[in-house]
């Protein structure tokens, strides 16, 4: 047998190419290769994915637990503050403190602000940590957030000013519900304190909405104590010792009666002569009262002083002067001065009379 015949017998025949075989078999082979590649890629990266997922889950769980714990701690702190304040309501110290409604609204506002700030800080930090876990570049995001924050701050600067002013007003306890304040732009009794707007009820019943950022000064008329002052005007011929004795009797009697004994926080004092004029003398009477009760004490004190002076025959002045009894009334006091035009023969009357029309001859 020749060499060429042996080589042809040993060499295998070539396999058919995919172009010459069935298309279905080629598609199946491609799918198997793709599945193999995908399985190998998943096998290579599943540990990385699992690590990222566990880190994200851990961050979210820690942030949620921390947020709940911080908010609950803030709520417990506010409740403790309220319970401590309520414990001194029946004592002498409690009378100097603000009322329950004011304490409740102030504590609620402070708690709301603290809880919002805590939630924003915790969840914002957790979000940045999650984005960092996915290897996202946070520098452009933070830069964009900074620019957006500056733009929003310029656009809503009045809103930001009102909010910050409201926060500091509440934290510093400048005023609260039930206080009578003078805010410059409006005055009245505070009926609601908010982070942006304060509601006041005026003397005539109107409600004022005052933005906290517009308040430049606050005059609180309900904190501490108030002063009731009455000026008593008498004739210069009155005996000052007698006047002082009557005023002391009025003040002592008023301080022993209800409800004035509770509204007066000090004795009614005669401070002395406040002014001396030709036709009158001014005696100053003053007393320290509860906040917001000065006007009622002044009215009652004037009432009692007037009745006591009438009983003691002490004349108070300040009204229209009385007519002297020894001088009779002048009957010509209400008559006008004589006029030159009243007489028809006077030169002024003749000069003002109209001229007669000239006679026209026919």
């Amino acid at each position: 047998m020749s060499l060429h015949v042996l080589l042809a017998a040993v060499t295998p025949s070539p396999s058919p190419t995919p172009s010459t075989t069935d298309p279905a078999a080629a598609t199946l082979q491609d799918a198997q290769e793709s599945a193999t590649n995908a399985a190998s890629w998943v096998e290579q990266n599943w540990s990385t994915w699992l690590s990222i997922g566990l880190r994200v889950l851990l961050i979210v769980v820690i942030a949620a637990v921390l947020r709940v714990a911080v908010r609950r701690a803030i709520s417990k702190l506010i409740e403790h503050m309220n319970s401590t304040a309520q414990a001194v309501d029946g004592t002498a110290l409690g009378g100097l403190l603000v009322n329950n409604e004011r304490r409740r609204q102030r504590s609620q506002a402070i708690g709301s602000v603290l809880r919002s700030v805590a939630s924003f800080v915790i969840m914002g930090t957790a979000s940045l940590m999650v984005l960092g876990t996915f290897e996202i570049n946070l520098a452009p995001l933070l830069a964009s957030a900074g620019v957006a924050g500056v733009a929003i701050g310029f656009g809503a600067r009045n809103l930001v000013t009102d909010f910050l002013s409201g926060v500091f007003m509440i934290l510093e306890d400048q005023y609260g519900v039930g206080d009578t304040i003078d805010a410059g732009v409006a005055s009245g009794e505070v009926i609601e304190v908010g982070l942006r707007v304060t509601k006041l009820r005026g003397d005539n019943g109107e409600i004022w909405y005052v933005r906290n950022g517009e308040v430049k000064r606050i005059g609180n008329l309900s904190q501490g104590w108030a002063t009731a002052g009455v000026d008593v005007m008498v004739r210069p011929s009155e005996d000052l010792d007698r006047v002082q004795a009557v005023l002391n009797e009025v003040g002592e009697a008023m301080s022993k009666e209800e409800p004035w004994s509770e509204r007066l926080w000090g004795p009614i004092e005669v401070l002395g002569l406040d002014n001396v004029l030709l036709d009158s003398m001014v005696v100053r009477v003053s007393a320290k009262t509860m906040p917001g009760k000065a006007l009622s004490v002044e009215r009652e004190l004037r009432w009692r002083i007037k009745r006591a002076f009438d009983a003691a025959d002490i004349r108070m002045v300040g009204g229209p002067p009385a007519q002297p009894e020894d001088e009779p009334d002048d009957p010509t006091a209400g008559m006008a001065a004589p006029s030159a035009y009243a007489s028809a023969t006077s030169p002024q009357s003749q000069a003002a009379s109209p001229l007669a029309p000239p006679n026209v001859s026919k």
Side-chain angles (χ1 to χ4, degrees):
M1 193 179 289
S2 64
L3 181 60
H4 294 285
V5 176
L6 291 175
L7 289 175
V10 174
T11 304
S13 61
S15 60
T17 60
S19 59
T20 59
T21 59
D22 189 9
T27 304
L28 180 60
Q29 185 176 0
D30 293 338
Q32 292 178 351
E33 292 179 357
S34 300
T36 303
N37 295 333
S40 60
W41 183 74
V42 170
E43 185 179 0
Q44 293 175 1
N45 296 280
W46 74 271
S47 58
T48 305
W49 293 348
L50 181 60
S51 175
I52 294 175
L54 291 177
R55 291 174 60 184
V56 171
L57 181 61
L58 183 62
I59 292 173
V60 171
V61 170
I62 292 177
V65 172
L66 183 62
R67 178 175 176 270
V68 172
V70 171
R71 290 174 65 91
R72 184 169 299 178
I74 294 174
S75 300
K76 291 292 184 181
L77 177 62
I78 298 301
E79 292 178 1
H80 178 70
M81 293 172 57
N82 289 335
S83 61
T84 304
Q86 292 175 0
V88 297
D89 280 342
T91 63
L93 180 62
L96 301 177
L97 298 177
V98 294
N99 53 48
N100 291 333
E101 180 64 18
R102 174 177 173 179
R103 283 195 296 266
R104 186 185 64 81
Q105 289 204 5
R106 178 171 176 260
S107 61
Q108 286 183 354
I110 295 175
S112 176
V113 172
L114 293 179
R115 284 190 291 267
S116 299
V117 171
S119 298
F120 178 78
V121 172
I122 294 174
M123 302 310 295
T125 304
S127 301
L128 294 179
M129 294 178 65
V130 169
L131 293 178
T133 302
F134 288 103
E135 298 181 356
I136 298 176
N137 189 8
L138 299 179
L141 180 61
L142 295 178
S144 302
V147 174
V150 172
I152 294 175
F154 276 108
R157 56 185 181 275
N158 292 332
L159 181 61
V160 175
T161 303
D162 296 340
F163 180 80
L164 294 179
S165 300
V167 170
F168 283 105
M169 285 179 181
I170 293 174
L171 292 178
E172 295 173 0
D173 194 18
Q174 297 180 8
Y175 55 83
V177 175
D179 287 353
T180 301
I181 67 171
D182 181 3
V185 294
S187 61
E189 182 182 355
V190 180
I191 59 178
E192 184 177 342
V193 179
L195 294 177
R196 193 183 69 87
V197 175
T198 298
K199 294 172 63 176
L200 305 177
R201 185 175 296 279
D203 296 334
N204 298 324
E206 69 276 10
I207 296 180
W208 298 96
Y209 294 84
V210 182
R211 288 172 43 197
N212 296 329
E214 293 182 350
V215 178
K216 304 301 180 183
R217 62 171 179 83
I218 291 291
N220 197 322
L221 308 179
S222 299
Q223 288 185 354
W225 46 268
T227 302
V230 175
D231 292 331
V232 181
M233 299 181 65
V234 297
R235 293 180 301 181
S237 59
E238 296 290 345
D239 186 2
L240 290 178
D241 294 335
R242 186 162 171 254
V243 171
Q244 184 178 10
V246 172
L247 293 176
N248 288 331
E249 292 177 1
V250 171
E252 184 178 358
M254 183 176 173
S255 61
K256 295 179 180 180
E257 297 180 6
E258 295 290 341
W260 311 110
S261 59
E262 297 179 358
R263 299 181 182 181
L264 290 171
W265 285 8
I268 299 177
E269 300 178 349
V270 180
L271 302 181
L273 279 176
D274 192 66
N275 200 356
V276 178
L277 303 176
L278 293 177
D279 57 347
S280 64
M281 296 185 303
V282 180
V283 181
R284 182 73 173 177
V285 180
S286 178
K288 184 181 296 185
T289 67
M290 292 176 59
K293 302 299 182 181
L295 291 178
S296 60
V297 172
E298 290 176 358
R299 296 188 182 102
E300 181 66 18
L301 191 57
R302 291 190 187 97
W303 183 282
R304 292 172 179 262
I305 290 175
K306 179 63 172 64
R307 295 179 61 182
F309 277 14
D310 291 342
D313 196 18
I314 299 176
R315 182 179 173 184
M316 300 178 63
V317 298
Q323 290 285 346
E325 298 180 357
D326 53 350
E327 296 182 3
D329 296 338
D330 187 5
T332 62
M335 299 176 60
S339 175
Y341 294 96
S343 177
T345 59
S346 64
Q348 292 82 358
S349 179
Q350 293 179 358
S353 61
L355 299 176
N359 296 326
V360 180
S361 60
K362 296 182 180 179

